[in-house]
């Protein structure tokens, strides 16, 4: 996951992946079919674990303001962790995607577009009235 975040789909080679995983290429092919299969499984894992803070905040917080506050706090958490690559795999994985990898770009684009519906629904929630202190 860190390799794909750091170098994107195209910038990560099979040699990089097998070295990082400590397995020979045939084992990777047997387990995932190809680099694309590994990438898609990696992204699915990311979306349900590391990358789930946005969806969780939009789903669980009572107001748009609170949801965005939680999203920003969650996004800042990894910055303090020097061992992790910073940024969203769904965004970073498709940087400079060539035409021959359009399927990967479309896969990631679909995930990014799916985020717009929760944003729309959270903004449609009724606003909480502010409580002002009276002098």
């Amino acid at each position: 996951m860190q390799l794909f975040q750091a170098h994107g789909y195209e910038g990560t080679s099979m040699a990089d992946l097998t070295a990082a995983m400590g397995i020979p290429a045939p084992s990777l092919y047997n387990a995932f079919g190809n680099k694309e299969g590994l990438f898609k499984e990696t992204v699915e894992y990311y979306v349900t674990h590391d990358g789930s803070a946005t969806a969780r905040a939009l789903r669980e917080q009572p107001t748009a303001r609170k949801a965005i506050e939680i999203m920003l706090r969650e996004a800042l958490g990894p910055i303090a962790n020097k061992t992790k690559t910073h940024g969203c795999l769904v965004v970073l994985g498709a940087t400079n995607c060539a035409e021959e990898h359009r399927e990967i770009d479309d896969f990631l684009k679909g995930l990014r577009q799916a985020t717009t519906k929760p944003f729309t629904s959270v903004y449609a929630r009724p606003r909480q009235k502010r409580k002002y202190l009276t002098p």
Side-chain angles (χ1 to χ4, degrees):
M1 186 165 48
Q2 290 178 355
L3 285 172
F4 286 130
Q5 279 181 302
H7 306 291
Y9 175 78
E10 288 187 17
T12 304
S13 70
M14 288 298 288
D16 295 333
L17 293 167
T18 55
M21 296 170 76
I23 61 172
S27 294
L28 189 144
Y29 286 110
N30 285 335
F32 301 101
N34 56 21
K35 178 177 150 182
E36 182 178 325
L38 172 59
F39 180 74
K40 286 183 175 180
E41 284 199 39
T42 300
V43 171
E44 293 296 337
Y45 177 86
Y46 173 82
V47 167
T48 58
H49 293 84
D50 294 5
S52 65
T54 296
R56 191 172 52 253
L58 290 170
R59 184 178 58 249
E60 295 174 0
Q61 297 306 316
T63 65
R65 184 182 189 286
K66 189 65 176 175
I68 291 171
E69 176 187 337
I70 297 298
M71 286 169 37
L72 292 173
R73 288 182 193 273
E74 291 287 329
L76 292 174
I79 291 173
N81 186 345
K82 303 292 185 206
T83 63
K84 282 191 164 189
T85 304
H86 307 288
C88 175
L89 178 59
V90 177
V91 174
L92 297 174
T95 54
N96 302 318
C97 204
E99 190 58 40
E100 65 262 21
H101 298 120
R102 186 62 39 211
E103 184 179 329
I104 291 295
D105 191 42
D106 290 343
F107 169 69
L108 294 172
K109 191 180 298 178
L111 290 172
R112 290 190 303 271
Q113 289 172 341
T115 304
T116 60
K117 186 175 181 178
F119 271 104
T120 304
S121 67
V122 81
Y123 283 119
R125 292 181 194 155
R127 293 181 63 185
Q128 288 183 342
K129 292 184 179 181
R130 293 184 185 250
K131 295 178 184 174
Y132 295 99
L133 297 175
T134 55

